[in-house]
């Protein structure tokens, strides 16, 4: 029987791209690992968007349309990897 495939793409706060993770993030990543949920990080992709002069964040955590496009690319790679 086939079940529902699940993966996670947690995205960081903007300040986490240049510094340490927020306290909840390691807990989330540990929990996902314990549940065997594949996790795809968006950190490097968001850093690249910033370096390219894009504005992926509207504020400290909420994404702009450009930021959502970055996350969509990460999700597309995750879906491709799951095939």
């Amino acid at each position: 029987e086939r079940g529902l495939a699940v993966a996670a793409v947690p995205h960081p706060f903007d300040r986490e791209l240049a510094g340490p993770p927020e306290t909840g993030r390691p807990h989330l990543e540990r929990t996902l690992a314990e549940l065997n949920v594949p996790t795809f990080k968006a950190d490097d992709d968001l850093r690249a968007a910033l370096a390219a002069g894009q504005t992926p964040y509207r504020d400290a955590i909420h994404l702009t349309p450009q930021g959502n496009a970055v996350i969509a690319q990460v999700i597309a790679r995750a879906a491709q990897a799951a095939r």
Side-chain angles (χ1 to χ4, degrees):
E1 183 176 334
R2 292 186 68 185
L4 177 66
V6 175
V9 183
H11 75 282
F13 282 92
D14 62 351
R15 62 187 167 269
E16 289 180 292
L17 295 177
E22 296 289 319
T23 57
R25 188 163 183 196
H27 176 72
L28 173 63
E29 291 174 352
R30 261 193 319 277
T31 301
L32 292 168
E34 289 169 4
L35 295 171
N36 295 316
V37 174
T39 303
F40 298 85
K41 293 187 176 187
D43 302 40
D44 291 340
D45 299 82
L46 290 165
R47 280 189 199 97
L50 286 168
Q54 296 178 16
T55 308
Y57 288 94
R58 178 171 50 94
D59 54 33
I61 189 64
H62 297 100
L63 299 171
T64 64
Q66 288 177 331
N68 281 309
V70 169
I71 298 299
Q73 292 172 348
V74 176
I75 291 170
R77 283 199 314 267
Q80 194 71 355
R83 291 183 183 192

Tab-separated table of all heavy atoms in Angstrom, residues 5 12 17 20 22 25 29 34-35 37 41-42 44-46 48 50-53 55-56 74 78 81:
chain	number	residue	atom	x	y	z
A	5	ALA	N	3.571	10.726	0.519
A	5	ALA	CA	4.971	11.147	0.641
A	5	ALA	C	5.007	12.552	1.238
A	5	ALA	O	4.262	13.436	0.820
A	5	ALA	CB	5.644	11.136	-0.719
A	12	PRO	N	14.706	29.677	6.854
A	12	PRO	CA	15.225	30.373	8.031
A	12	PRO	C	14.677	31.795	8.161
A	12	PRO	O	14.175	32.377	7.204
A	12	PRO	CB	16.728	30.423	7.758
A	12	PRO	CG	16.812	30.495	6.272
A	12	PRO	CD	15.682	29.631	5.769
A	17	LEU	N	20.548	33.533	8.141
A	17	LEU	CA	21.414	33.351	6.973
A	17	LEU	C	22.831	33.839	7.246
A	17	LEU	O	23.769	33.409	6.590
A	17	LEU	CB	20.825	34.082	5.762
A	17	LEU	CG	19.484	33.544	5.272
A	17	LEU	CD1	18.966	34.395	4.124
A	17	LEU	CD2	19.595	32.090	4.858
A	20	PRO	N	23.770	32.290	13.776
A	20	PRO	CA	23.330	30.988	14.278
A	20	PRO	C	21.818	30.810	14.122
A	20	PRO	O	21.079	31.793	14.009
A	20	PRO	CB	23.726	31.028	15.756
A	20	PRO	CG	23.739	32.478	16.100
A	20	PRO	CD	24.171	33.192	14.851
A	22	GLU	N	17.906	30.079	15.059
A	22	GLU	CA	17.030	30.366	16.191
A	22	GLU	C	16.892	29.092	17.018
A	22	GLU	O	17.098	27.988	16.520
A	22	GLU	CB	15.654	30.810	15.696
A	22	GLU	CG	15.668	32.111	14.925
A	22	GLU	CD	15.938	33.318	15.802
A	22	GLU	OE1	15.406	33.387	16.922
A	22	GLU	OE2	16.686	34.196	15.340
A	25	ARG	N	14.730	26.073	15.617
A	25	ARG	CA	15.074	25.395	14.365
A	25	ARG	C	15.784	24.051	14.573
A	25	ARG	O	15.411	23.056	13.952
A	25	ARG	CB	15.907	26.313	13.479
A	25	ARG	CG	16.109	25.712	12.113
A	25	ARG	CD	16.540	26.729	11.123
A	25	ARG	NE	16.641	26.108	9.825
A	25	ARG	CZ	17.265	26.617	8.820
A	25	ARG	NH1	17.820	27.795	8.920
A	25	ARG	NH2	17.319	25.990	7.672
A	29	GLU	N	14.384	20.441	13.229
A	29	GLU	CA	15.175	19.549	12.377
A	29	GLU	C	15.386	18.183	13.028
A	29	GLU	O	15.327	17.155	12.351
A	29	GLU	CB	16.496	20.210	12.015
A	29	GLU	CG	16.285	21.392	11.064
A	29	GLU	CD	17.544	22.178	10.766
A	29	GLU	OE1	18.593	21.920	11.400
A	29	GLU	OE2	17.468	23.077	9.911
A	34	GLU	N	13.873	12.434	13.365
A	34	GLU	CA	13.348	11.311	14.144
A	34	GLU	C	12.137	10.675	13.463
A	34	GLU	O	11.906	9.474	13.586
A	34	GLU	CB	12.971	11.773	15.547
A	34	GLU	CG	14.167	12.093	16.422
A	34	GLU	CD	13.790	12.807	17.714
A	34	GLU	OE1	12.571	13.001	17.979
A	34	GLU	OE2	14.708	13.178	18.459
A	35	LEU	N	11.380	11.486	12.746
A	35	LEU	CA	10.201	10.993	12.040
A	35	LEU	C	10.521	10.512	10.621
A	35	LEU	O	9.628	10.140	9.869
A	35	LEU	CB	9.129	12.094	11.981
A	35	LEU	CG	8.543	12.514	13.322
A	35	LEU	CD1	7.675	13.756	13.157
A	35	LEU	CD2	7.756	11.377	13.947
A	37	VAL	N	11.408	12.240	8.089
A	37	VAL	CA	10.864	13.146	7.079
A	37	VAL	C	12.040	13.765	6.325
A	37	VAL	O	12.874	14.439	6.938
A	37	VAL	CB	10.001	14.252	7.721
A	37	VAL	CG1	9.554	15.265	6.683
A	37	VAL	CG2	8.806	13.641	8.431
A	41	LYS	N	16.855	22.000	2.811
A	41	LYS	CA	17.094	23.356	3.315
A	41	LYS	C	17.099	24.369	2.175
A	41	LYS	O	17.570	24.072	1.083
A	41	LYS	CB	18.405	23.411	4.079
A	41	LYS	CG	18.372	22.606	5.357
A	41	LYS	CD	19.624	22.833	6.164
A	41	LYS	CE	19.523	22.095	7.490
A	41	LYS	NZ	20.633	22.417	8.360
A	42	ALA	N	16.609	25.544	2.482
A	42	ALA	CA	16.556	26.625	1.502
A	42	ALA	C	17.604	27.700	1.783
A	42	ALA	O	17.694	28.686	1.046
A	42	ALA	CB	15.163	27.254	1.512
A	44	ASP	N	20.957	28.091	1.464
A	44	ASP	CA	21.910	28.481	0.417
A	44	ASP	C	21.208	29.179	-0.749
A	44	ASP	O	21.737	30.136	-1.309
A	44	ASP	CB	22.689	27.271	-0.091
A	44	ASP	CG	23.662	26.731	0.947
A	44	ASP	OD1	24.019	27.463	1.894
A	44	ASP	OD2	24.052	25.561	0.814
A	45	ASP	N	20.016	28.709	-1.082
A	45	ASP	CA	19.259	29.326	-2.176
A	45	ASP	C	18.849	30.758	-1.816
A	45	ASP	O	18.909	31.657	-2.653
A	45	ASP	CB	18.025	28.491	-2.501
A	45	ASP	CG	18.396	27.094	-2.955
A	45	ASP	OD1	18.661	26.236	-2.095
A	45	ASP	OD2	18.453	26.874	-4.172
A	46	LEU	N	18.437	30.959	-0.565
A	46	LEU	CA	18.062	32.309	-0.130
A	46	LEU	C	19.283	33.220	-0.059
A	46	LEU	O	19.208	34.396	-0.433
A	46	LEU	CB	17.333	32.240	1.209
A	46	LEU	CG	15.933	31.629	1.128
A	46	LEU	CD1	15.421	31.253	2.513
A	46	LEU	CD2	14.973	32.578	0.431
A	48	ALA	N	21.893	32.967	-1.965
A	48	ALA	CA	22.213	33.273	-3.368
A	48	ALA	C	21.280	34.348	-3.910
A	48	ALA	O	21.710	35.234	-4.656
A	48	ALA	CB	22.120	32.004	-4.216
A	50	LEU	N	19.835	36.728	-2.175
A	50	LEU	CA	20.296	37.991	-1.584
A	50	LEU	C	21.546	38.502	-2.292
A	50	LEU	O	21.647	39.691	-2.608
A	50	LEU	CB	20.573	37.814	-0.085
A	50	LEU	CG	19.346	37.696	0.815
A	50	LEU	CD1	19.758	37.227	2.194
A	50	LEU	CD2	18.624	39.035	0.892
A	51	ALA	N	22.491	37.608	-2.558
A	51	ALA	CA	23.736	37.997	-3.233
A	51	ALA	C	23.474	38.501	-4.647
A	51	ALA	O	24.222	39.341	-5.153
A	51	ALA	CB	24.707	36.814	-3.259
A	52	ALA	N	22.396	38.025	-5.262
A	52	ALA	CA	22.040	38.448	-6.622
A	52	ALA	C	21.232	39.744	-6.621
A	52	ALA	O	20.778	40.187	-7.670
A	52	ALA	CB	21.259	37.339	-7.323
A	53	GLY	N	21.045	40.326	-5.438
A	53	GLY	CA	20.329	41.594	-5.353
A	53	GLY	C	18.824	41.466	-5.228
A	53	GLY	O	18.104	42.455	-5.294
A	55	THR	N	15.223	40.489	-3.191
A	55	THR	CA	14.690	40.757	-1.858
A	55	THR	C	13.731	39.618	-1.497
A	55	THR	O	12.524	39.723	-1.710
A	55	THR	CB	13.939	42.107	-1.836
A	55	THR	OG1	14.786	43.106	-2.376
A	55	THR	CG2	13.530	42.493	-0.427
A	56	PRO	N	14.262	38.504	-0.965
A	56	PRO	CA	13.405	37.365	-0.687
A	56	PRO	C	12.527	37.514	0.560
A	56	PRO	O	11.556	36.784	0.713
A	56	PRO	CB	14.375	36.202	-0.540
A	56	PRO	CG	15.668	36.819	-0.178
A	56	PRO	CD	15.664	38.194	-0.778
A	74	VAL	N	13.262	25.010	-4.519
A	74	VAL	CA	13.727	23.973	-3.577
A	74	VAL	C	12.707	22.826	-3.529
A	74	VAL	O	13.088	21.651	-3.559
A	74	VAL	CB	13.968	24.566	-2.171
A	74	VAL	CG1	14.350	23.480	-1.186
A	74	VAL	CG2	15.050	25.644	-2.227
A	78	ALA	N	13.186	18.896	-4.467
A	78	ALA	CA	12.808	17.841	-3.520
A	78	ALA	C	11.897	16.832	-4.216
A	78	ALA	O	12.058	15.624	-4.030
A	78	ALA	CB	12.113	18.458	-2.310
A	81	ALA	N	13.911	14.691	-6.504
A	81	ALA	CA	14.727	13.719	-5.763
A	81	ALA	C	13.886	12.554	-5.260
A	81	ALA	O	14.399	11.450	-5.080
A	81	ALA	CB	15.420	14.416	-4.590
